[in-house]
Amino acid sequence: MSRAQLITVGEDEGDQRLDRWLRRHFPHLSQGRIEKMCRKGDLRVDGGRVKSSTRLEVGQQVRIPPLPSADEITAQAVMRKHVSPADEKMIQACVIYRDDDIIVLNKPAGLPTQGGSKQTRHVDGMGEALRFGLEDRPRLVHRLDKDTSGVLILGRTRMAAKELTEAFKHRETRKIYWAAVAGVPHPRMGTIKYGLLKSGGHGRGGENEKMRCIHPAEVDKTEGAKRATTDYAVMDKLASRAAWVGLVPITGRTHQLRAHMAELGHPIIGDGKYGGSAQENLGDGWGSGMGEEIGRKLHLHARQLTIQHPTTKQVMTFVAPLPDHMKHTWDFVGWDATGTPNDPFEELM
């Protein structure tokens, strides 16, 4: 990356567009990068803001901000090629909304939001396929677990990402999840207030760590425990065998919904970590299994997200269709996703 510099327009360089002048001096610069530098005010002529079409005169001084080298730009282009054509097609098909500031995905189950020590294929790494003409990659502003599907929003500009991050931090968003759980919670609507404490995993690198529920009265006395609150509502049921529940995380702790439902005695179907054979509190549930095919995948879906748009300030709600494995389960047990309100709590609000 070069330093900022001041270049004087030479005797034979007058009466030409700024962008053409720049590309003669810096052939590796793209038109998109030039336009962005103009929009941000990083490029200036005689101290004033300019457009890419501004015509230069002999003797004017052009301020050039720090620029990436040709090698750095080539390296960026190589990184972009790491998104395979198949992944590019897949992630672009996940887009359910986009404008100049935000992009909203229906994240597939099984695809991590971010990379880790053993995760090389993830949403963040596919950001280059989601630029859609903008120079910057979209930025993550919140997360979904690898096996959780549903609404995931990204900021397409630095300012939009900052506004969205603050909104999630200060709980100015409303997230509604759908889940299939073992057994039928009673009462049919309630609030879970167990605190959560991270318990280390058993692997060499701490793999398989879990969140352990702490009674609300013990949270302040337990080092490392954090308060967590989840609203739930039963939307339909299959006798006493299973239930379709709506979940609203009031707080946003790691694995909050999964740990809370397991503690209630109604683990989420397909959740081997919190609802498997080692689950201590099965309540009147049946563990997380529900037959070999249905119990194979986690049945937790980020169905709906309501936010205030970071630029227009309009309140917007995004809804993500169920993933195939959950749609199959809904069809199999006869639950009608089309005839039920996305927000089971709306009549109480």
Side-chain angles (χ1 to χ4, degrees):
M1 184 75 72
S2 67
R3 295 183 178 182
Q5 51 190 307
L6 207 60
I7 301 178
T8 301
V9 178
E11 291 288 342
D12 58 345
E13 295 180 323
D15 194 28
Q16 64 175 306
R17 287 170 54 113
L18 172 62
D19 51 3
R20 293 174 184 169
W21 179 87
L22 274 171
R23 283 200 297 273
R24 287 183 179 178
H25 284 265
F26 308 97
H28 61 284
L29 283 183
S30 67
Q31 184 68 24
R33 186 176 291 273
I34 294 172
E35 297 285 354
K36 180 179 179 180
M37 290 191 296
C38 290
R39 286 196 307 271
K40 294 176 64 178
D42 292 338
L43 266 176
R44 291 182 176 257
V45 175
D46 288 344
R49 297 177 72 101
V50 288
K51 297 181 179 180
S52 61
S53 59
T54 297
R55 303 196 78 82
L56 299 176
E57 301 298 334
V58 174
Q60 288 183 316
Q61 290 193 316
V62 182
R63 179 195 179 276
I64 312 294
L67 299 175
S69 67
D71 288 343
E72 289 172 325
I73 289 181
T74 300
Q76 291 172 5
V78 170
M79 286 296 293
R80 290 169 185 167
K81 293 179 181 178
H82 286 326
V83 183
S84 70
D87 279 344
E88 179 177 7
K89 182 178 180 180
M90 180 277 296
I91 199 68
Q92 289 181 355
C94 293
V95 176
I96 55 179
Y97 176 84
R98 69 180 168 97
D99 60 26
D100 290 341
D101 301 289
I102 64 175
I103 186 164
V104 185
L105 307 178
N106 183 6
K107 186 190 83 67
L111 180 66
T113 303
Q114 277 187 305
S117 58
K118 295 183 179 180
Q119 303 292 348
T120 58
R121 182 175 178 269
H122 45 82
V123 174
D124 193 37
M126 297 179 188
E128 291 296 344
L130 296 172
R131 292 188 303 122
F132 294 108
L134 295 190
E135 186 158 348
D136 289 342
R137 295 158 38 115
R139 297 166 169 83
L140 294 171
V141 298
H142 69 126
R143 313 288 185 270
L144 291 178
D145 288 349
K146 173 185 174 182
D147 293 319
T148 301
S149 57
V151 180
L152 182 71
I153 188 169
L154 301 90
R156 299 192 72 194
T157 67
R158 182 178 60 83
M159 289 306 298
K162 180 180 178 181
E163 291 283 337
L164 290 170
T165 299
E166 289 297 308
F168 279 99
K169 179 180 178 181
H170 297 293
R171 304 176 190 172
E172 296 169 352
T173 64
R174 182 168 176 80
K175 294 176 281 186
I176 298 175
Y177 289 72
W178 281 3
V181 304
V184 182
H186 181 78
R188 298 285 293 271
M189 181 176 288
T191 299
I192 308 168
K193 294 187 176 181
Y194 280 94
L196 294 172
L197 175 66
K198 182 178 292 187
S199 299
H202 304 294
R204 182 180 301 176
E207 295 88 349
N208 299 317
E209 66 180 15
K210 293 175 64 172
M211 303 303 291
R212 181 162 60 89
C213 285
I214 306 295
H215 191 280
E218 301 298 319
V219 172
D220 292 338
K221 307 173 188 177
T222 306
E223 184 178 358
K226 296 182 179 180
R227 295 195 175 274
T229 304
T230 300
D231 288 337
Y232 76 88
V234 176
M235 301 174 71
D236 206 341
K237 63 188 180 72
L238 177 64
S240 62
R241 182 71 172 87
W244 163 15
V245 296
L247 300 167
V248 175
I250 306 303
T251 52
R253 310 300 184 198
T254 300
H255 294 178
Q256 176 177 316
L257 303 181
R258 298 165 64 184
H260 270 177
M261 293 312 297
E263 184 65 22
L264 205 62
H266 302 284
I268 296 172
I269 300 299
D271 192 350
K273 174 171 286 198
Y274 290 94
S277 58
Q279 172 62 31
E280 295 177 1
N281 179 21
L282 292 177
D284 62 352
W286 304 66
S288 65
M290 194 177 165
E292 182 178 354
E293 183 64 30
I294 291 179
R296 191 173 294 164
K297 292 185 177 181
L298 183 70
H299 282 55
L300 179 61
H301 177 66
R303 172 66 173 182
Q304 180 173 304
L305 173 65
T306 299
I307 63 160
Q308 183 182 71
H309 192 280
T311 302
T312 68
K313 305 307 177 184
Q314 176 186 357
V315 175
M316 305 181 75
T317 296
F318 305 102
V319 177
L322 287 172
D324 288 343
H325 72 281
M326 289 181 67
K327 186 177 184 301
H328 170 74
T329 300
W330 262 236
D331 291 342
F332 179 77
V333 302
W335 292 336
D336 182 11
T338 63
T340 306
N342 290 314
D343 189 342
F345 308 89
E346 59 186 358
E347 294 182 359
L348 302 178
M349 295 176 62

